[in-house]
Amino acid sequence: MRTAVGLVEVTSVDRVPVSSLTAADARRAGAASLAALRQGLDRLHPERPVYRIGLRYAGVDPRHALREAVPDAAEIDGIVVWLDRLDRASPTGPWTRATLLLIDELPATRAPDLAQRMGRDTPSFKQNVRKLKERGLTESLDIGYRLSARGAAVLDHEGHPRSTPGRPAPDIPLPHLGAAATRALTEHGVVSLEQVAELSEAEVLALHGVGPYALRHLLAAMDAAGLAFRDDPGTSPQVTVTPETARKPPPTRA
């Protein structure tokens, strides 16, 4: 199965009596205790059987590498043919390029808001985006989506006017931080690690919704990308971040 953490393999499915469950089963299931696990099972579906499902991490989602691989001209031609086929088969008319361009214009935007912009209902909009994601043209974020390097290459090849013309690939996206922290950053125009690096740690922590968990994941992702917070120990933690200031370069020091 493809999940947010990568590929997960189901290794076993065994029916077990509730009386045989152990404290170790409860911990692995995320329950506070064995009693809490049993009470939860009884409260939900006391008449249904209980199964212990074995899971194993099976590797990185192959779409990760696909979306970062810029296709050559021949491969782009194949993607264009596939996009045209989707457009022709759609009962509501062509949608593929408009969806890619909207995601490029409004990364990290809630799917219902994007669907409204397209004049579509949210479930059918999400279904269409999943089709694009299968080909590595988009990727999901904690909130909304962003265009991948692969998707950008297709739009540039066809000469579509993009919100970032001439850029061969999108910036490094925010890691999974949780919805509250992602919303706090994106509402202030911060949608990439490069933009985070233009801020001080105090400025980021001043955003409502960004806590220790989000900060820890931001630091890890920035370190892996060779980035760091702007060194500004004098910044007030009450500073207001705007989309304009989020994109300003750090001040020059003598």
Side-chain angles (χ1 to χ4, degrees):
M1 299 182 296
R2 287 186 299 231
T3 73
V5 300
L7 298 179
V8 174
E9 178 186 359
V10 177
T11 58
S12 61
V13 180
D14 301 310
R15 182 172 177 175
V16 295
V18 174
S19 60
S20 72
L21 297 176
T22 66
D25 291 326
R27 286 194 300 271
R28 298 184 70 180
S33 65
L34 177 57
L37 175 62
R38 289 175 172 172
Q39 291 170 4
L41 292 172
D42 289 341
R43 184 172 60 253
L44 291 175
H45 300 292
E47 76 287 353
R48 295 186 181 181
V50 174
Y51 294 87
R52 181 189 290 112
I53 301 174
L55 301 175
R56 182 184 72 86
Y57 178 69
V60 177
D61 188 333
R63 292 175 298 182
H64 291 188
L66 179 64
R67 67 193 182 207
E68 297 303 327
V70 178
D72 58 23
E75 193 173 3
I76 288 179
D77 289 341
I79 295 173
V80 168
V81 170
W82 175 74
L83 292 174
D84 289 341
R85 187 163 61 246
L86 289 179
D87 284 339
R88 288 195 300 271
S90 172
T92 58
W95 59 270
T96 58
R97 276 64 163 197
T99 302
L100 290 170
L101 287 167
L102 183 61
I103 291 173
D104 183 43
E105 177 189 357
L106 300 172
T109 299
R110 295 172 61 250
D113 297 334
L114 296 175
Q116 185 177 31
R117 290 281 294 263
M118 292 280 294
R120 302 291 302 277
D121 62 275
T122 301
S124 65
F125 176 80
K126 285 185 171 182
Q127 184 179 36
N128 282 343
V129 175
R130 281 195 293 271
K131 295 175 184 178
L132 301 174
K133 186 178 178 181
E134 285 298 314
R135 289 296 184 100
L137 303 179
T138 66
E139 59 182 291
S140 296
L141 306 174
D142 280 340
I143 297 176
Y145 317 93
R146 79 162 191 149
L147 195 68
S148 70
R150 194 175 186 82
V154 172
L155 292 181
D156 289 342
H157 175 80
E158 292 191 320
H160 294 283
R162 294 178 52 214
S163 61
T164 51
R167 189 179 70 187
D171 295 330
I172 304 171
L174 298 174
H176 290 290
L177 306 173
T182 301
R183 185 178 300 110
L185 289 164
T186 56
E187 284 180 351
H188 289 82
V190 180
V191 297
S192 71
L193 283 183
E194 287 86 350
Q195 290 174 319
V196 174
E198 295 173 357
L199 306 174
S200 70
E201 183 174 332
E203 287 174 314
V204 173
L205 282 174
L207 299 175
H208 180 68
V210 178
Y213 172 88
L215 181 64
R216 185 167 63 252
H217 282 266
L218 277 174
L219 287 169
M222 293 169 71
D223 183 64
L227 299 170
F229 285 119
R230 190 185 73 222
D231 183 17
D232 191 0
T235 300
S236 167
Q238 301 302 318
V239 67
T240 300
V241 183
T242 67
E244 290 74 23
T245 60
R247 289 174 170 81
K248 285 183 180 178
T252 302
R253 293 179 174 81

mmCIF file of all heavy atoms in Angstrom, residues 107-108 164 167 171-174 185-186 188-200 203-204 218 222 227-230 241-250:
data_model
loop_
_atom_site.group_PDB
_atom_site.id
_atom_site.type_symbol
_atom_site.label_atom_id
_atom_site.label_comp_id
_atom_site.label_asym_id
_atom_site.label_seq_id
_atom_site.Cartn_x
_atom_site.Cartn_y
_atom_site.Cartn_z
ATOM 1 N N PRO A 107 0.031 26.629 -4.704
ATOM 2 C CA PRO A 107 0.486 25.442 -3.964
ATOM 3 C C PRO A 107 0.041 25.513 -2.515
ATOM 4 O O PRO A 107 -0.218 26.597 -1.978
ATOM 5 C CB PRO A 107 2.014 25.529 -4.079
ATOM 6 C CG PRO A 107 2.288 26.992 -4.254
ATOM 7 C CD PRO A 107 1.140 27.525 -5.065
ATOM 8 N N ALA A 108 -0.063 24.340 -1.886
ATOM 9 C CA ALA A 108 -0.427 24.251 -0.467
ATOM 10 C C ALA A 108 -1.754 24.941 -0.186
ATOM 11 O O ALA A 108 -1.933 25.588 0.845
ATOM 12 C CB ALA A 108 0.680 24.820 0.411
ATOM 13 N N THR A 164 5.686 30.823 -12.169
ATOM 14 C CA THR A 164 7.142 30.942 -12.005
ATOM 15 C C THR A 164 7.807 30.610 -13.334
ATOM 16 O O THR A 164 8.434 29.571 -13.472
ATOM 17 C CB THR A 164 7.650 29.995 -10.915
ATOM 18 O OG1 THR A 164 7.153 28.664 -11.181
ATOM 19 C CG2 THR A 164 7.185 30.439 -9.550
ATOM 20 N N ARG A 167 11.505 28.688 -14.403
ATOM 21 C CA ARG A 167 12.091 27.887 -13.350
ATOM 22 C C ARG A 167 11.953 26.429 -13.721
ATOM 23 O O ARG A 167 10.853 25.931 -13.926
ATOM 24 C CB ARG A 167 11.373 28.151 -12.015
ATOM 25 C CG ARG A 167 12.071 27.518 -10.825
ATOM 26 C CD ARG A 167 11.328 27.827 -9.526
ATOM 27 N NE ARG A 167 10.046 27.129 -9.459
ATOM 28 C CZ ARG A 167 9.151 27.322 -8.510
ATOM 29 N NH1 ARG A 167 9.389 28.215 -7.568
ATOM 30 N NH2 ARG A 167 8.028 26.650 -8.514
ATOM 31 N N ASP A 171 10.585 24.743 -5.879
ATOM 32 C CA ASP A 171 11.443 24.771 -4.708
ATOM 33 C C ASP A 171 11.190 23.526 -3.863
ATOM 34 O O ASP A 171 10.278 22.748 -4.125
ATOM 35 C CB ASP A 171 11.159 26.028 -3.889
ATOM 36 C CG ASP A 171 11.522 27.301 -4.644
ATOM 37 O OD1 ASP A 171 12.442 27.233 -5.465
ATOM 38 O OD2 ASP A 171 10.866 28.330 -4.421
ATOM 39 N N ILE A 172 12.013 23.358 -2.820
ATOM 40 C CA ILE A 172 11.861 22.206 -1.937
ATOM 41 C C ILE A 172 10.606 22.405 -1.095
ATOM 42 O O ILE A 172 10.474 23.417 -0.398
ATOM 43 C CB ILE A 172 13.093 22.046 -1.039
ATOM 44 C CG1 ILE A 172 14.354 21.939 -1.888
ATOM 45 C CG2 ILE A 172 12.946 20.817 -0.147
ATOM 46 C CD1 ILE A 172 15.641 21.987 -1.085
ATOM 47 N N PRO A 173 9.655 21.465 -1.123
ATOM 48 C CA PRO A 173 8.397 21.676 -0.402
ATOM 49 C C PRO A 173 8.595 21.537 1.096
ATOM 50 O O PRO A 173 9.585 20.991 1.581
ATOM 51 C CB PRO A 173 7.500 20.555 -0.937
ATOM 52 C CG PRO A 173 8.452 19.456 -1.264
ATOM 53 C CD PRO A 173 9.684 20.153 -1.793
ATOM 54 N N LEU A 174 7.632 22.042 1.843
ATOM 55 C CA LEU A 174 7.635 21.858 3.278
ATOM 56 C C LEU A 174 7.491 20.370 3.599
ATOM 57 O O LEU A 174 6.759 19.654 2.909
ATOM 58 C CB LEU A 174 6.478 22.623 3.913
ATOM 59 C CG LEU A 174 6.471 24.146 3.746
ATOM 60 C CD1 LEU A 174 5.177 24.722 4.318
ATOM 61 C CD2 LEU A 174 7.682 24.780 4.406
ATOM 62 N N LEU A 185 2.078 28.433 8.168
ATOM 63 C CA LEU A 185 3.119 28.886 7.250
ATOM 64 C C LEU A 185 2.535 29.335 5.913
ATOM 65 O O LEU A 185 2.877 30.400 5.390
ATOM 66 C CB LEU A 185 4.145 27.774 7.039
ATOM 67 C CG LEU A 185 5.050 27.470 8.241
ATOM 68 C CD1 LEU A 185 5.741 26.126 8.074
ATOM 69 C CD2 LEU A 185 6.098 28.570 8.403
ATOM 70 N N THR A 186 1.652 28.513 5.346
ATOM 71 C CA THR A 186 1.128 28.831 4.013
ATOM 72 C C THR A 186 0.255 30.079 4.032
ATOM 73 O O THR A 186 0.205 30.818 3.044
ATOM 74 C CB THR A 186 0.325 27.649 3.442
ATOM 75 O OG1 THR A 186 -0.722 27.286 4.353
ATOM 76 C CG2 THR A 186 1.238 26.443 3.232
ATOM 77 N N HIS A 188 0.896 32.663 5.493
ATOM 78 C CA HIS A 188 1.824 33.790 5.449
ATOM 79 C C HIS A 188 2.729 33.721 4.221
ATOM 80 O O HIS A 188 3.787 34.338 4.168
ATOM 81 C CB HIS A 188 2.653 33.845 6.729
ATOM 82 C CG HIS A 188 1.855 34.270 7.925
ATOM 83 N ND1 HIS A 188 1.077 33.386 8.641
ATOM 84 C CD2 HIS A 188 1.691 35.484 8.508
ATOM 85 C CE1 HIS A 188 0.480 34.034 9.622
ATOM 86 N NE2 HIS A 188 0.824 35.302 9.569
ATOM 87 N N GLY A 189 2.327 32.928 3.218
ATOM 88 C CA GLY A 189 3.060 32.886 1.961
ATOM 89 C C GLY A 189 4.300 32.028 1.977
ATOM 90 O O GLY A 189 5.094 32.071 1.038
ATOM 91 N N VAL A 190 4.487 31.212 3.019
ATOM 92 C CA VAL A 190 5.681 30.365 3.118
ATOM 93 C C VAL A 190 5.292 28.952 2.710
ATOM 94 O O VAL A 190 4.590 28.251 3.446
ATOM 95 C CB VAL A 190 6.247 30.376 4.552
ATOM 96 C CG1 VAL A 190 7.498 29.499 4.646
ATOM 97 C CG2 VAL A 190 6.563 31.804 4.972
ATOM 98 N N VAL A 191 5.731 28.524 1.521
ATOM 99 C CA VAL A 191 5.332 27.222 1.000
ATOM 100 C C VAL A 191 6.522 26.344 0.633
ATOM 101 O O VAL A 191 6.352 25.252 0.105
ATOM 102 C CB VAL A 191 4.410 27.384 -0.240
ATOM 103 C CG1 VAL A 191 3.124 28.086 0.140
ATOM 104 C CG2 VAL A 191 5.125 28.130 -1.366
ATOM 105 N N SER A 192 7.734 26.807 0.914
ATOM 106 C CA SER A 192 8.919 26.011 0.572
ATOM 107 C C SER A 192 9.973 26.179 1.653
ATOM 108 O O SER A 192 9.945 27.132 2.441
ATOM 109 C CB SER A 192 9.491 26.450 -0.778
ATOM 110 O OG SER A 192 10.093 27.735 -0.678
ATOM 111 N N LEU A 193 10.931 25.250 1.686
ATOM 112 C CA LEU A 193 12.017 25.339 2.661
ATOM 113 C C LEU A 193 12.899 26.548 2.388
ATOM 114 O O LEU A 193 13.449 27.143 3.322
ATOM 115 C CB LEU A 193 12.863 24.062 2.622
ATOM 116 C CG LEU A 193 12.274 22.826 3.303
ATOM 117 C CD1 LEU A 193 13.253 21.673 3.236
ATOM 118 C CD2 LEU A 193 11.901 23.117 4.757
ATOM 119 N N GLU A 194 13.045 26.930 1.128
ATOM 120 C CA GLU A 194 13.843 28.104 0.820
ATOM 121 C C GLU A 194 13.256 29.360 1.465
ATOM 122 O O GLU A 194 13.981 30.228 1.954
ATOM 123 C CB GLU A 194 13.951 28.300 -0.704
ATOM 124 C CG GLU A 194 14.849 27.302 -1.408
ATOM 125 C CD GLU A 194 14.125 26.019 -1.791
ATOM 126 O OE1 GLU A 194 12.974 25.818 -1.337
ATOM 127 O OE2 GLU A 194 14.699 25.218 -2.531
ATOM 128 N N GLN A 195 11.934 29.451 1.482
ATOM 129 C CA GLN A 195 11.282 30.598 2.117
ATOM 130 C C GLN A 195 11.404 30.525 3.635
ATOM 131 O O GLN A 195 11.545 31.548 4.297
ATOM 132 C CB GLN A 195 9.813 30.662 1.695
ATOM 133 C CG GLN A 195 9.629 31.056 0.233
ATOM 134 C CD GLN A 195 8.187 30.960 -0.195
ATOM 135 O OE1 GLN A 195 7.497 30.022 0.160
ATOM 136 N NE2 GLN A 195 7.732 31.937 -0.961
ATOM 137 N N VAL A 196 11.368 29.306 4.190
ATOM 138 C CA VAL A 196 11.582 29.159 5.630
ATOM 139 C C VAL A 196 12.973 29.654 6.003
ATOM 140 O O VAL A 196 13.167 30.311 7.024
ATOM 141 C CB VAL A 196 11.398 27.691 6.058
ATOM 142 C CG1 VAL A 196 11.768 27.512 7.530
ATOM 143 C CG2 VAL A 196 9.962 27.236 5.829
ATOM 144 N N ALA A 197 13.958 29.353 5.153
ATOM 145 C CA ALA A 197 15.347 29.739 5.442
ATOM 146 C C ALA A 197 15.550 31.248 5.399
ATOM 147 O O ALA A 197 16.578 31.739 5.866
ATOM 148 C CB ALA A 197 16.287 29.052 4.453
ATOM 149 N N GLU A 198 14.602 31.985 4.843
ATOM 150 C CA GLU A 198 14.700 33.444 4.824
ATOM 151 C C GLU A 198 14.182 34.062 6.124
ATOM 152 O O GLU A 198 14.243 35.277 6.311
ATOM 153 C CB GLU A 198 13.909 34.002 3.632
ATOM 154 C CG GLU A 198 14.503 33.593 2.288
ATOM 155 C CD GLU A 198 13.607 34.001 1.125
ATOM 156 O OE1 GLU A 198 12.516 34.537 1.380
ATOM 157 O OE2 GLU A 198 14.010 33.764 -0.025
ATOM 158 N N LEU A 199 13.667 33.211 7.024
ATOM 159 C CA LEU A 199 13.131 33.673 8.297
ATOM 160 C C LEU A 199 14.029 33.217 9.441
ATOM 161 O O LEU A 199 14.816 32.286 9.297
ATOM 162 C CB LEU A 199 11.722 33.119 8.511
ATOM 163 C CG LEU A 199 10.703 33.391 7.396
ATOM 164 C CD1 LEU A 199 9.412 32.655 7.686
ATOM 165 C CD2 LEU A 199 10.464 34.880 7.248
ATOM 166 N N SER A 200 13.895 33.861 10.572
ATOM 167 C CA SER A 200 14.602 33.415 11.769
ATOM 168 C C SER A 200 13.749 32.363 12.481
ATOM 169 O O SER A 200 12.541 32.248 12.239
ATOM 170 C CB SER A 200 14.867 34.581 12.702
ATOM 171 O OG SER A 200 13.651 35.044 13.282
ATOM 172 N N GLU A 203 10.857 33.990 14.288
ATOM 173 C CA GLU A 203 9.737 34.376 13.427
ATOM 174 C C GLU A 203 8.839 33.184 13.135
ATOM 175 O O GLU A 203 7.606 33.305 13.109
ATOM 176 C CB GLU A 203 10.262 34.976 12.127
ATOM 177 C CG GLU A 203 10.853 36.361 12.280
ATOM 178 C CD GLU A 203 11.483 36.866 11.004
ATOM 179 O OE1 GLU A 203 12.237 36.101 10.360
ATOM 180 O OE2 GLU A 203 11.241 38.036 10.657
ATOM 181 N N VAL A 204 9.448 32.029 12.907
ATOM 182 C CA VAL A 204 8.651 30.835 12.618
ATOM 183 C C VAL A 204 7.875 30.400 13.855
ATOM 184 O O VAL A 204 6.682 30.083 13.786
ATOM 185 C CB VAL A 204 9.563 29.700 12.109
ATOM 186 C CG1 VAL A 204 8.775 28.393 11.971
ATOM 187 C CG2 VAL A 204 10.168 30.075 10.759
ATOM 188 N N LEU A 218 11.060 20.700 10.648
ATOM 189 C CA LEU A 218 11.617 21.737 9.787
ATOM 190 C C LEU A 218 13.144 21.742 9.849
ATOM 191 O O LEU A 218 13.822 21.811 8.823
ATOM 192 C CB LEU A 218 11.073 23.107 10.197
ATOM 193 C CG LEU A 218 9.718 23.526 9.659
ATOM 194 C CD1 LEU A 218 9.295 24.842 10.283
ATOM 195 C CD2 LEU A 218 9.729 23.631 8.137
ATOM 196 N N MET A 222 15.547 21.002 6.690
ATOM 197 C CA MET A 222 16.461 22.055 6.254
ATOM 198 C C MET A 222 17.908 21.587 6.319
ATOM 199 O O MET A 222 18.714 21.894 5.434
ATOM 200 C CB MET A 222 16.245 23.308 7.104
ATOM 201 C CG MET A 222 14.886 23.966 6.875
ATOM 202 S SD MET A 222 14.526 25.249 8.089
ATOM 203 C CE MET A 222 15.690 26.516 7.587
ATOM 204 N N LEU A 227 20.172 23.842 4.308
ATOM 205 C CA LEU A 227 19.609 25.151 4.625
ATOM 206 C C LEU A 227 19.588 25.355 6.130
ATOM 207 O O LEU A 227 19.752 24.413 6.899
ATOM 208 C CB LEU A 227 18.189 25.269 4.064
ATOM 209 C CG LEU A 227 18.028 25.147 2.545
ATOM 210 C CD1 LEU A 227 16.549 25.049 2.183
ATOM 211 C CD2 LEU A 227 18.676 26.323 1.831
ATOM 212 N N ALA A 228 19.350 26.581 6.549
ATOM 213 C CA ALA A 228 19.251 26.902 7.965
ATOM 214 C C ALA A 228 18.423 28.162 8.129
ATOM 215 O O ALA A 228 18.253 28.941 7.185
ATOM 216 C CB ALA A 228 20.639 27.106 8.578
ATOM 217 N N PHE A 229 17.892 28.347 9.343
ATOM 218 C CA PHE A 229 17.175 29.584 9.627
ATOM 219 C C PHE A 229 18.110 30.779 9.490
ATOM 220 O O PHE A 229 19.324 30.666 9.692
ATOM 221 C CB PHE A 229 16.609 29.562 11.046
ATOM 222 C CG PHE A 229 15.397 28.694 11.218
ATOM 223 C CD1 PHE A 229 15.423 27.620 12.090
ATOM 224 C CD2 PHE A 229 14.234 28.954 10.516
ATOM 225 C CE1 PHE A 229 14.302 26.818 12.259
ATOM 226 C CE2 PHE A 229 13.112 28.167 10.671
ATOM 227 C CZ PHE A 229 13.148 27.088 11.545
ATOM 228 N N ARG A 230 17.541 31.916 9.151
ATOM 229 C CA ARG A 230 18.317 33.134 9.103
ATOM 230 C C ARG A 230 18.859 33.437 10.497
ATOM 231 O O ARG A 230 18.131 33.354 11.484
ATOM 232 C CB ARG A 230 17.433 34.302 8.639
ATOM 233 C CG ARG A 230 18.221 35.574 8.322
ATOM 234 C CD ARG A 230 17.297 36.720 7.997
ATOM 235 N NE ARG A 230 16.648 37.211 9.205
ATOM 236 C CZ ARG A 230 15.366 37.547 9.276
ATOM 237 N NH1 ARG A 230 14.583 37.409 8.226
ATOM 238 N NH2 ARG A 230 14.847 38.004 10.402
ATOM 239 N N VAL A 241 4.796 38.074 10.091
ATOM 240 C CA VAL A 241 5.313 37.623 8.806
ATOM 241 C C VAL A 241 4.220 37.782 7.763
ATOM 242 O O VAL A 241 3.089 37.362 7.978
ATOM 243 C CB VAL A 241 5.758 36.149 8.881
ATOM 244 C CG1 VAL A 241 6.372 35.722 7.562
ATOM 245 C CG2 VAL A 241 6.752 35.955 10.021
ATOM 246 N N THR A 242 4.537 38.387 6.639
ATOM 247 C CA THR A 242 3.596 38.557 5.541
ATOM 248 C C THR A 242 4.144 37.867 4.310
ATOM 249 O O THR A 242 5.325 37.535 4.252
ATOM 250 C CB THR A 242 3.376 40.043 5.219
ATOM 251 O OG1 THR A 242 4.602 40.575 4.700
ATOM 252 C CG2 THR A 242 2.984 40.812 6.474
ATOM 253 N N PRO A 243 3.314 37.617 3.288
ATOM 254 C CA PRO A 243 3.839 37.016 2.056
ATOM 255 C C PRO A 243 4.977 37.820 1.456
ATOM 256 O O PRO A 243 5.880 37.266 0.851
ATOM 257 C CB PRO A 243 2.598 37.006 1.136
ATOM 258 C CG PRO A 243 1.441 36.956 2.078
ATOM 259 C CD PRO A 243 1.857 37.778 3.274
ATOM 260 N N GLU A 244 4.920 39.158 1.628
ATOM 261 C CA GLU A 244 5.995 39.972 1.050
ATOM 262 C C GLU A 244 7.288 39.796 1.825
ATOM 263 O O GLU A 244 8.346 39.554 1.255
ATOM 264 C CB GLU A 244 5.587 41.449 1.037
ATOM 265 C CG GLU A 244 4.477 41.771 0.043
ATOM 266 C CD GLU A 244 3.118 41.278 0.508
ATOM 267 O OE1 GLU A 244 2.923 41.078 1.730
ATOM 268 O OE2 GLU A 244 2.236 41.084 -0.352
ATOM 269 N N THR A 245 7.201 39.882 3.175
ATOM 270 C CA THR A 245 8.420 39.745 3.962
ATOM 271 C C THR A 245 8.951 38.330 3.916
ATOM 272 O O THR A 245 10.146 38.103 4.056
ATOM 273 C CB THR A 245 8.162 40.148 5.423
ATOM 274 O OG1 THR A 245 7.139 39.297 5.964
ATOM 275 C CG2 THR A 245 7.725 41.588 5.534
ATOM 276 N N ALA A 246 8.063 37.354 3.725
ATOM 277 C CA ALA A 246 8.530 35.973 3.668
ATOM 278 C C ALA A 246 9.413 35.733 2.473
ATOM 279 O O ALA A 246 10.224 34.813 2.466
ATOM 280 C CB ALA A 246 7.337 35.010 3.620
ATOM 281 N N ARG A 247 9.277 36.568 1.445
ATOM 282 C CA ARG A 247 10.051 36.353 0.239
ATOM 283 C C ARG A 247 11.229 37.305 0.126
ATOM 284 O O ARG A 247 11.972 37.274 -0.837
ATOM 285 C CB ARG A 247 9.143 36.494 -0.991
ATOM 286 C CG ARG A 247 8.163 35.307 -1.115
ATOM 287 C CD ARG A 247 7.179 35.532 -2.246
ATOM 288 N NE ARG A 247 6.421 34.330 -2.512
ATOM 289 C CZ ARG A 247 5.361 33.964 -1.803
ATOM 290 N NH1 ARG A 247 4.949 34.689 -0.816
ATOM 291 N NH2 ARG A 247 4.703 32.846 -2.116
ATOM 292 N N LYS A 248 11.396 38.216 1.104
ATOM 293 C CA LYS A 248 12.512 39.137 1.051
ATOM 294 C C LYS A 248 13.806 38.424 1.389
ATOM 295 O O LYS A 248 13.820 37.551 2.244
ATOM 296 C CB LYS A 248 12.291 40.289 2.038
ATOM 297 C CG LYS A 248 11.260 41.309 1.588
ATOM 298 C CD LYS A 248 11.189 42.444 2.600
ATOM 299 C CE LYS A 248 10.154 43.490 2.162
ATOM 300 N NZ LYS A 248 10.052 44.558 3.152
ATOM 301 N N PRO A 249 14.912 38.797 0.741
ATOM 302 C CA PRO A 249 16.192 38.198 1.123
ATOM 303 C C PRO A 249 16.608 38.708 2.483
ATOM 304 O O PRO A 249 16.169 39.767 2.917
ATOM 305 C CB PRO A 249 17.140 38.695 0.023
ATOM 306 C CG PRO A 249 16.525 39.959 -0.466
ATOM 307 C CD PRO A 249 15.027 39.761 -0.352
ATOM 308 N N PRO A 250 17.438 37.917 3.214
ATOM 309 C CA PRO A 250 17.881 38.381 4.521
ATOM 310 C C PRO A 250 18.695 39.644 4.394
ATOM 311 O O PRO A 250 19.335 39.885 3.365
ATOM 312 C CB PRO A 250 18.742 37.214 5.038
ATOM 313 C CG PRO A 250 19.153 36.478 3.806
ATOM 314 C CD PRO A 250 18.022 36.647 2.827
#
